[in-house]
């Protein structure tokens, strides 16, 4: 195995050629745009989350969403500046092995922490729908903080394994980033590569199964639900969270699955070194930190309602005015107490929502009980 010097130029890599160096992917423009978009999107998501109503902030799902945004922001801030610094230094790595270890650890941690958090979000919704009484009796929103800290601890411990001998952190093409050795010959290097890929793929597969169960359960709930307003509100909240969870899972799968599959295939020996392709899949994985916050922001009820209202206002003005006139003075008082909601849940398989509707609200597009959901 060839050891790459931290002072050698791009041509040190097996397939590093002048032609590859001139390709658009090997440019500081791409990581610069990714860094700016990642920081802006995640900061915006955290600001929106911090301004959410108190009842939203007191839910487990909300805290997991906040943890996901913070993890994505942390991963961007701890890795991208190093990459930009190396590009500005003419692709010469001046940090030595310590900086390489740091970069690799942060990159591994960000990926694993994200997939662990997504798994926790899927399990949270699974328990809330399939075992609502256990969920609301045993799982409290304060416990979400300890769950997140535990997931982060496990992720950082796995990321540190190459430092204690299981795997090895090396500089990767074009010399602007470090990751664990994917083309290792030793047992420890192959073992860590297989651990990383199998762990990620297994969690993605598990999340997909939980989401299928979640969607199936919601479909059954809609059929069995009584026509009461509170029952519909509960189901709407669950549907909103399910849509967000499926969206984030799909984004993560599209971004990270190619990297994990690539690492796994390399260990089988069926493919050789392809530096440019490796750079492409790691940048695709980095896009997950950019897209996650926008999935949250775009799937918020308020934005969807405002978009529909704008369309109706401009393309169907008569229908829009008629709807506003009908809903402006229509008020509905809550007729079911928490105890009655539990009774309904027992007879119709509807879990008690962690967030109850306000005592009095109006049925208008801008102030619906749907907006009281955790996300």
């Amino acid at each position: 195995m060839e050891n790459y010097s931290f002072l050698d130029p791009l041509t040190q890599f097996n397939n590093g050629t002048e032609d590859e160096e001139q390709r658009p992917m090997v440019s500081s423009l791409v990581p610069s745009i990714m860094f700016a978009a990642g920081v802006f999107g995640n900061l915006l998501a955290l600001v929106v989350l911090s301004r959410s109503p108190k009842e939203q902030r007191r839910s487990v799902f909300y805290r997991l969403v906040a943890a996901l945004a913070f993890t994505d922001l942390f991963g961007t801030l701890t890795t991208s500046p190093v990459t930009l610094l190396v590009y500005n230094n003419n692709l010469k790595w001046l940090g030595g092995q310590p900086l390489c270890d740091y970069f690799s650890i942060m990159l591994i941690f960000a990926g694993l922490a994200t997939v662990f958090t997504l798994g926790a979000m899927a399990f949270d919704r699974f328990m809330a729908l399939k075992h609502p009484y256990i969920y609301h009796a045993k799982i409290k929103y304060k416990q979400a903080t300890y769950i997140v800290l535990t997931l982060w601890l496990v992720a950082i411990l796995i990321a540190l394994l190459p430092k204690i001998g299981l795997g090895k952190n090396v500089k990767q093409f074009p010399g602007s980033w470090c990751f664990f050795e994917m083309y290792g010959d030793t047992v420890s290097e192959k073992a860590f590569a297989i651990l990383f890929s199998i762990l990620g793929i297994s969690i993605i597969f598990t999340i997909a199964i939980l989401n299928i169960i979640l969607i199936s359960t919601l479909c059954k709930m809609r059929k069995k639900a009584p026509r009461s307003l509170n029952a519909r509100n509960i189901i709407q909240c669950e549907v909103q969270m399910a849509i967000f969870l499926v969206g984030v899972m799909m984004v993560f799968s599209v971004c990270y699955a190619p990297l994990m599959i690539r690492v796994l295939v390399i260990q089988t020996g069926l493919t050789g070194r392809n530096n440019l392709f490796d750079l492409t899949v790691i940048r695709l994985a980095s896009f997950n930190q950019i897209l996650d916050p926008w999935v949250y922001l775009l799937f918020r009820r308020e934005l969807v309602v405002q978009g529909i209202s704008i369309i109706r206002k401009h393309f169907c003005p008569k229908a829009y005015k008629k709807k506003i006139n009908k809903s402006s003075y229509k008020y509905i008082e809550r007729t079911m107490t928490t105890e009655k909601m539990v009774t309904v849940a027992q007879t119709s398989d509807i879990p008690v929502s962690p967030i109850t509707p306000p005592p009095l609200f109006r049925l208008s597009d801008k102030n619906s009980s749907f907006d009281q959901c955790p996300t």
Side-chain angles (χ1 to χ4, degrees):
M1 176 62 60
E2 182 181 356
N3 294 321
Y4 301 140
S5 167
F6 289 101
L7 296 177
D8 286 342
L10 181 69
T11 53
Q12 66 180 293
F13 294 90
N14 292 347
N15 291 338
T17 64
E18 292 183 0
D19 178 64
E20 279 185 330
E21 185 177 5
Q22 300 303 321
R23 296 190 185 188
M25 284 298 292
V26 187
S27 168
S28 61
L29 179 62
V30 177
S32 298
I33 295 175
M34 293 174 64
F35 174 65
V39 171
F40 175 75
N42 285 289
L43 282 177
L44 181 60
L46 288 173
V47 170
V48 172
L49 285 167
S50 66
R51 295 170 63 87
S52 299
K54 184 178 179 180
E55 61 270 18
Q56 294 184 21
R57 298 197 300 269
R58 293 175 64 89
S59 69
V60 175
F61 194 79
Y62 167 89
R63 295 208 169 187
L64 292 175
V65 173
L68 181 65
F70 181 82
T71 301
D72 290 336
L73 178 62
F74 178 81
T76 301
L77 291 176
T78 54
T79 57
S80 294
V82 177
T83 299
L84 296 176
L85 180 63
V86 174
Y87 269 106
N88 291 332
N89 197 42
N90 201 22
L91 289 176
K92 292 181 180 180
W93 190 280
L94 299 179
Q97 187 61 41
L99 184 59
C100 185
D101 289 332
Y102 159 82
F103 191 99
S104 179
I105 290 171
M106 290 298 101
L107 206 57
I108 297 170
F109 166 77
L112 292 179
T114 298
V115 72
F116 289 165
T117 304
L118 288 177
M121 292 166 63
F123 184 72
D124 172 78
R125 290 299 88 205
F126 173 81
M127 290 295 297
L129 287 176
K130 300 299 291 184
H131 306 283
Y133 308 112
I134 297 176
Y135 178 81
H136 293 289
K138 301 294 184 181
I139 302 179
K140 306 301 180 182
Y141 78 95
K142 291 183 179 180
Q143 296 175 347
T145 301
Y146 301 106
I147 293 173
V148 170
L149 293 177
T150 301
L151 296 177
W152 285 350
L153 178 61
V154 174
I156 196 65
L157 289 177
I158 295 176
L160 287 171
L161 289 178
K163 283 294 294 178
I164 61 176
L166 186 62
K168 181 181 179 182
N169 298 320
V170 297
K171 190 171 61 162
Q172 306 283 349
F173 174 85
S176 60
W177 60 291
C178 285
F179 204 45
F180 63 84
E181 178 58 85
M182 297 183 289
Y183 297 92
D185 295 327
T186 66
V187 175
S188 65
E189 292 170 350
K190 288 184 174 293
F192 184 81
I194 293 174
L195 171 65
F196 176 83
S197 57
I198 292 295
L199 183 61
I201 293 173
S202 299
I203 296 178
I204 291 175
F205 183 72
T206 302
I207 294 173
I209 293 178
L210 292 177
N211 283 338
I212 292 174
I213 296 174
L214 178 64
I215 294 172
S216 175
T217 304
L218 286 173
C219 291
K220 293 178 181 178
M221 287 171 57
R222 290 177 66 89
K223 293 180 180 179
K224 296 181 180 180
R227 295 184 178 181
S228 65
L229 185 61
N230 283 322
R232 293 200 305 269
N233 290 337
I234 294 171
I235 295 177
Q236 285 178 329
C237 285
E238 295 294 344
V239 168
Q240 183 183 5
M241 288 184 282
I243 291 174
F244 168 73
L245 182 58
V246 171
V248 173
M249 189 273 292
M250 292 180 62
V251 169
F252 183 86
S253 300
V254 171
C255 292
Y256 260 95
L259 173 63
M260 295 172 178
I261 295 174
R262 171 68 177 169
V263 171
L264 188 61
V265 171
I266 289 174
Q267 307 316 306
T268 64
L270 298 178
T271 182
R273 180 181 291 274
N274 188 330
N275 292 324
L276 198 61
F277 187 76
D278 294 340
L279 177 63
T280 302
V281 294
I282 196 65
R283 283 188 173 170
L284 181 60
S286 299
F287 266 106
N288 177 78
Q289 299 170 346
I290 300 173
L291 298 177
D292 272 350
W294 294 107
V295 173
Y296 167 73
L297 293 171
L298 293 176
F299 275 79
R300 288 181 64 83
R301 169 70 173 177
E302 302 93 301
L303 295 181
V304 175
V305 169
Q306 289 177 8
I308 295 176
S309 298
I310 292 174
I311 294 174
R312 286 177 175 174
K313 183 176 181 180
H314 287 85
F315 294 96
C316 303
K318 293 183 179 180
Y320 176 79
K321 290 181 180 179
K322 184 177 181 181
K323 180 179 179 62
I324 293 297
N325 291 333
K326 284 185 177 181
S327 62
S328 294
Y329 302 100
K330 188 175 182 181
Y331 290 88
I332 298 178
E333 294 186 9
R334 183 172 59 184
T335 57
M336 296 176 64
T337 63
T338 303
E339 291 77 9
K340 289 182 179 180
M341 292 173 65
V342 173
T343 303
V344 172
Q346 291 174 339
T347 58
S348 59
D349 295 330
I350 300 178
V352 181
S353 174
I355 299 172
T356 57
L360 183 66
F361 59 91
R362 59 185 291 181
L363 284 179
S364 66
D365 289 340
K366 295 184 180 179
N367 188 20
S368 167
S369 62
F370 201 82
D371 296 333
Q372 303 297 324
C373 301
T375 58

